[in-house]
Amino acid sequence: MAKDVLVTESLSGSMTKAGAKLIERLDEKQSEVKSALWFYLSEERTWKLIIASALVDREGPREFYKRILEANAKASEEEETVSLNDIGVTSLDNQIVKLIGSMIATDVGISGVRFSRNTINGFFIEDAYIYRSNP
C-alpha cells in the first residue's frame, strides 16, 4: 500500500512529486483538472494542494474527493501519495485560482512553476508551486 507524503512547512521534492503523480492519475480519469498547485498557508505554516475542476461544481466536492481516493488507490506500493487532509478541491471560481490564472498560464500538462512573495490585485501570495493554471 502506498504511504502518504509528509506535508511540512518547507515544500519538499517528495511533496511536488506526489502532487504531480496525483494530477496525472486524475487526468487518466478525465477529471477535468484546470488548475492544480501547492499553496502555502502562512497562518497555519503548512501547504495545501489545491485542485480546481469544473466537476466540483457539476458533481460536488464529495464526488471529486472520491475520484482522488480512487486515484491514490492506483498508486504503487513504493509511491507516496497526498493525504486527503492536505488537499482542497474547488470550483474554477475560487479567488486564488483566478488570481494565479490571471498571472500565469501553463499548458495542459504538468508544469513546475514556483511563484513566491508576489502580490496580485492586492492579494499577497507567500508561496505557491503551480502544476497547472488554465484560466
Side-chain angles (χ1 to χ4, degrees):
M1 184 173 156
K3 58 183 175 175
D4 287 341
V5 67
L6 178 63
V7 174
T8 59
E9 187 174 345
S10 298
L11 187 66
S12 69
S14 60
M15 289 166 59
T16 59
K17 184 177 178 182
K21 290 300 235 176
L22 173 59
I23 295 160
E24 287 173 3
R25 289 191 300 273
L26 288 170
D27 286 346
E28 290 169 5
K29 296 181 62 57
Q30 287 79 42
S31 299
E32 300 180 29
V33 175
K34 296 293 182 191
S35 290
L37 60 128
W38 280 105
F39 188 80
Y40 185 69
L41 303 167
S42 54
E43 288 182 12
E44 297 173 25
R45 298 173 58 134
T46 191
W47 290 85
K48 189 79 139 179
L49 180 61
I50 298 173
I51 300 173
S53 170
L55 293 181
V56 173
D57 279 333
R58 288 201 305 266
E59 298 176 353
R62 177 175 286 175
E63 290 301 313
F64 202 86
Y65 279 115
K66 286 180 186 176
R67 286 177 174 268
I68 292 170
L69 284 173
E70 292 168 5
N72 276 343
K74 296 203 180 284
S76 69
E77 287 189 22
E78 307 81 39
E79 193 176 333
E80 291 183 307
T81 58
V82 182
S83 167
L84 282 185
N85 294 331
D86 299 317
I87 300 172
V89 300
T90 186
S91 72
L92 303 178
D93 291 331
N94 178 282
Q95 180 186 15
I96 294 167
V97 169
K98 288 175 112 177
L99 285 171
I100 289 180
S102 72
M103 294 297 294
I104 296 172
T106 64
D107 290 331
V108 292
I110 308 283
S111 298
V113 179
R114 195 72 182 254
F115 192 76
S116 303
R117 304 185 77 48
N118 285 287
T119 301
I120 306 171
N121 294 338
F123 187 86
F124 181 70
I125 296 173
E126 178 75 32
D127 205 356
Y129 183 86
I130 303 160
Y131 295 108
R132 183 177 297 161
S133 178
N134 293 315

